[in-house]
Amino acid sequence: MTTPQNSTTINKTVERITLRIIERSKETRNRYLARIESARSKTVHRSQLACGNLAHGFAACQNDDKVALKNMVHNDIAIITSYNDMLSAHKPYENYPQKLKDSLHAVDAVGQVAGSVPAMCDGVTQGQDGMELSLLSRDVIAMSAAIGLSHNMFDGALYLGICDKIAPGLVMAALSFGHLPAVFVPAGPMTSGLPNKEKVRIRQLYAEGKVDRQALLEAEADSYHSIGTCTFYGTANSNQMVMEVMGLHLPGASFVHPDTPLRDALNDAAARQITRLTENSGNYIPLGQMVNEKVIVNGIIALLATGGSTNLTMHLIAMANAAGIIINWDDFSELSDVIPLLCRIYPNGPADINQFQAAGGVALVIRELLKKGLLHQDVNTIAGFGLERYTQEPWLNEGQLAWREGTHSSLDNEVIACIEKPFKHHGGTKVMTGNIGRAVMKTSAVPANNLVIEAPAVVFNSQHDIAPAFEAGKLNCDCVVVVRYQGPQANGMPELHKLMPPLGVLMDRGFKVALVTDGRLSGASGKVPSAIHVTPEAHAGGVLAKIQDGDLIRIDGRTGELTLLLDELELAQRVPYQADLSTGHIGCGRELFGALRTQLSGAEQGACSITFL
């Protein structure tokens, strides 16, 4: 790769917010850095193990690996995998461990699968009981990975994970073991299937009873049809975007299809690269030092500039906390004021992630943001110092992996805009504030004429009650649909995607409709103005629990207002509604997670059960 060039002076607002985060995090960050420094080894980590410990650690290895591990020179690289063969995004990882081991052998290193982590799919569990384990799985993934790494055999780690909670959970674990260098290895998206606009059309027809279940199933199967991540811009692909801009992937690695020669070459390069970052490589770059406040801010900016998943407003907070860095929604909100929206990827537009990649991909987005000083260029990455390395794209030059300059302008202006003419001058995420609490709205897909609504509340305590109300015609009016008791401590904060087709139908019928909930929606809120992640949640005594049918609510996605238009004295005197959640805490394994669920922090604190700081 070429040496990075000097970049434009950093934007004043980006610089101010970064300095604020540095100051806010000074004490916790210093404690974290001291902790990972104390865990550092000046040689291979297994040299600290007693002979009996070490013998157990390589007992299952083949003979040449045993010889290498007895010799306290060769690197031992942990492989943490999220492989399962039921889910499309994780199926490609099936053969990665052996291929990565072969690549490591080629550079005189050893690879061991240190552990596997669970990987669930919100698409499968949507509207089902299992969805209530989804957010909890992120912390379980972090803990599972930590158990694998706790053997203290390793000099670095390769992390195989891609989807909604998997990548953030792996980052949290990797930062807990932040004295080790880390490289994250994506698997890429599936090829394009049924166009997103047609998929939405069929879903809404089904919601209206105009097509049957078989037609709906065929449309869904044509959309999600092969290995790789889903092609819409939900949490999985938002993870990959953010991870690459944070320098945790190799440049250009995020959106290359599985099982292609270029993907195989990138995987080989990832294995080789981790050995260049270890203690005994002479170029030691532990993950905990690499991921600093500037890197976290770059991640937030990547999310905003591309209109990414609202789940990252929680995951980035939890990931930052794992590195001793404190961020909050105000940081997201103030950055949104200066970060333009550069991408239109479904649900923010008709294009899918493959069209985004063809238009110029991550390299072009980084190049455009760097032009105006909207990203920190002066950061370490797994590819070396300087974010300008990530304006390059990988290719095969006569079968050999190489990097070349990415395109300097968009190849499809309907998918990626230039920095001078963005789709919007405001980032795709808005923080909402008012007497109801604080919330997040993904504004990038909401038409301007739908950003403001003042209408009566229709209150539900379960997402499952909305479809019957819709079918009975009870929602055929201007309304703000309130779905409460969906927060972290109430039921694990499930995603509520199944609400979107009926609410979309109501909007198509000419009604002004919005959603207010302490639950989640990922990247799939689409055209419905949705104030989500409301905190404090209803279960924790939030004002949501006091809202009644007919109360007027004002939502303004331009100013960030989220207000219950009720006299303050009357509001103070109202008794909160107490929902009976007991039946929802049993079945589908939910009873196993009771203690973990009660420990979850609020959405703005990352909805996390783990205390890092």
Side-chain angles (χ1 to χ4, degrees):
M1 297 182 194
T2 59
T3 302
Q5 302 172 356
N6 292 330
S7 62
T8 306
T9 302
I10 194 72
N11 174 275
K12 296 294 184 183
T13 300
V14 174
E15 181 180 40
R16 175 178 59 80
I17 293 169
T18 304
L19 291 173
R20 182 174 73 193
I21 293 170
I22 290 171
E23 182 61 29
R24 183 194 300 146
S25 309
K26 185 178 294 183
E27 181 181 344
T28 50
R29 179 65 174 170
N30 286 341
R31 284 206 310 265
Y32 173 78
L33 291 174
R35 175 165 66 81
I36 65 170
E37 178 63 25
S38 69
R40 177 182 179 181
S41 171
K42 300 298 183 181
T43 181
V44 293
H45 279 268
R46 64 186 178 278
S47 66
Q48 303 172 50
L49 299 180
C51 292
N53 302 131
L54 183 56
H56 277 82
F58 59 57
C61 291
Q62 56 188 16
N63 286 335
D64 57 344
D65 282 349
K66 286 184 180 180
V67 172
L69 293 176
K70 289 176 184 177
N71 182 329
M72 298 301 171
V73 174
H74 300 277
N75 286 312
D76 188 15
I77 303 301
I79 299 170
I80 303 289
T81 178
S82 62
Y83 163 72
N84 66 55
D85 68 1
M86 187 192 81
L87 301 178
S88 63
H90 305 97
K91 169 67 174 175
Y93 287 131
E94 182 173 11
N95 298 316
Y96 275 33
Q98 187 56 54
K99 291 180 179 179
L100 292 170
K101 289 180 184 181
D102 292 343
S103 298
L104 289 166
H105 282 153
V107 289
D108 294 325
V110 175
Q112 292 183 289
V113 176
S116 299
V117 301
M120 68 179 292
C121 176
D122 292 358
V124 177
T125 58
Q126 192 58 241
Q128 306 298 315
D129 292 345
M131 171 56 81
E132 296 178 10
L133 303 183
S134 173
L135 184 59
L136 291 163
S137 76
R138 183 197 64 194
D139 294 10
V140 172
I141 288 161
M143 290 184 265
S144 300
I147 290 172
L149 295 168
S150 68
H151 295 102
N152 205 28
M153 287 277 293
F154 308 110
D155 306 299
L158 295 165
Y159 295 90
L160 317 183
I162 195 166
C163 266
D164 293 18
K165 315 308 171 294
I166 296 88
L170 291 177
V171 172
M172 290 158 65
L175 287 168
S176 185
F177 285 77
H179 59 287
L180 298 177
V183 171
F184 291 80
V185 184
M190 67 177 67
T191 56
S192 299
L194 186 73
N196 290 306
K197 188 175 182 180
E198 178 64 9
K199 176 180 66 178
V200 173
R201 187 183 74 85
I202 298 297
R203 285 178 175 177
Q204 292 196 176
L205 288 174
Y206 178 76
E208 295 179 275
K210 294 180 179 179
V211 300
D212 62 14
R213 179 180 171 85
Q214 187 61 38
L216 177 65
L217 180 58
E218 290 302 320
E220 298 289 356
D222 288 343
S223 300
Y224 309 114
H225 62 93
S226 66
I227 62 171
T229 60
C230 307
T231 59
F232 75 96
Y233 196 43
T235 308
N237 288 321
S238 296
N239 280 341
Q240 305 316 300
M241 183 80 69
V242 168
M243 298 277 279
E244 186 165 331
V245 178
M246 289 174 67
L248 301 179
H249 291 170
L250 288 175
S254 295
F255 300 121
V256 175
H257 291 306
D259 292 349
T260 60
L262 180 56
R263 170 58 67 200
D264 290 341
L266 284 164
N267 294 342
D268 176 71
R272 293 170 182 264
Q273 187 65 11
I274 189 65
T275 66
R276 300 186 182 107
L277 307 176
T278 59
E279 183 80 60
N280 61 357
S281 70
N283 185 41
Y284 177 58
I285 305 179
L287 184 71
Q289 289 183 12
M290 196 191 90
V291 176
N292 62 14
E293 293 88 348
K294 290 181 178 181
V295 169
I296 293 294
V297 169
N298 282 352
I300 297 173
I301 290 168
L303 179 74
L304 298 173
T306 58
S309 167
T310 50
N311 276 329
L312 271 293
T313 64
M314 293 185 296
H315 296 329
L316 275 165
I317 290 171
M319 290 157 62
N321 281 353
I325 298 169
I326 304 170
I327 59 174
N328 58 40
W329 285 349
D330 290 332
D331 301 322
F332 286 80
S333 187
E334 291 179 40
L335 284 168
S336 288
D337 292 336
V338 299
I339 304 301
L341 181 68
L342 297 180
C343 299
R344 288 290 195 197
I345 321 170
Y346 181 81
N348 307 330
D352 67 14
I353 201 67
N354 296 315
Q355 293 167 289
F356 164 79
Q357 177 76 349
V362 183
L364 179 59
V365 171
I366 291 174
R367 184 184 301 279
E368 292 297 307
L369 291 169
L370 284 175
K371 283 182 185 177
K372 297 292 186 180
L374 293 173
L375 285 170
H376 291 286
Q377 196 280 132
D378 55 335
V379 293
N380 276 310
T381 75
I382 65 164
F385 183 77
L387 192 61
E388 284 188 4
R389 295 175 183 274
Y390 284 72
T391 63
Q392 299 178 328
E393 63 180 16
W395 68 299
L396 293 178
N397 183 7
E398 297 183 355
Q400 298 300 309
L401 180 65
W403 273 265
R404 62 189 176 191
E405 281 296 303
T407 180
H408 284 248
S409 60
S410 177
L411 300 180
D412 188 339
N413 292 322
E414 298 300 313
V415 180
I416 303 177
C418 68
I419 196 74
E420 290 81 13
K421 294 181 180 180
F423 294 115
K424 292 184 179 180
H425 289 281
H426 186 280
T429 301
K430 186 72 176 177
V431 176
M432 312 292 289
T433 311
N435 61 0
I436 294 176
R438 283 164 67 83
V440 171
M441 179 184 286
K442 184 170 180 176
T443 61
S444 52
V446 180
N449 62 336
N450 290 335
L451 283 171
V452 182
I453 178 172
E454 184 176 308
V458 183
V459 183
F460 298 91
N461 300 308
S462 169
Q463 61 172 312
H464 303 296
D465 294 335
I466 292 177
F470 169 77
E471 291 165 4
K474 295 179 180 179
L475 299 179
N476 287 331
C477 58
D478 291 354
C479 61
V480 175
V481 175
V482 176
V483 187
R484 61 193 179 189
Y485 290 97
Q486 308 299 307
Q489 292 191 13
N491 64 352
M493 203 178 188
E495 290 189 346
L496 307 173
H497 291 176
K498 284 191 177 295
L499 306 186
M500 289 301 102
L503 297 185
V505 169
L506 294 174
M507 293 183 73
D508 290 346
R509 291 175 179 172
F511 300 114
K512 289 188 72 70
V513 179
L515 173 68
V516 175
T517 180
D518 45 11
R520 297 184 292 124
L521 269 175
S522 176
S525 53
K527 64 186 179 183
V528 180
S530 303
I532 61 177
H533 304 180
V534 172
T535 184
E537 63 174 292
H539 187 60
V543 170
L544 272 183
K546 292 186 175 185
I547 298 176
Q548 298 176 1
D549 285 342
D551 286 345
L552 280 179
I553 294 176
R554 179 173 175 79
I555 298 172
D556 191 329
R558 303 167 307 179
T559 64
E561 179 184 358
L562 179 62
T563 305
L564 175 62
L565 300 175
L566 191 67
D567 179 77
E568 290 184 13
L569 180 60
E570 181 180 350
L571 179 60
Q573 292 175 341
R574 272 195 186 175
V575 177
Y577 178 85
Q578 296 293 328
D580 180 6
L581 303 174
S582 58
T583 57
H585 292 167
I586 300 171
C588 202
R590 289 175 292 179
E591 60 276 8
L592 301 175
F593 292 83
L596 194 64
R597 187 171 50 246
T598 61
Q599 294 301 310
L600 289 175
S601 61
E604 191 169 5
Q605 291 73 46
C608 192
S609 66
I610 303 168
T611 302
F612 289 109
L613 304 178

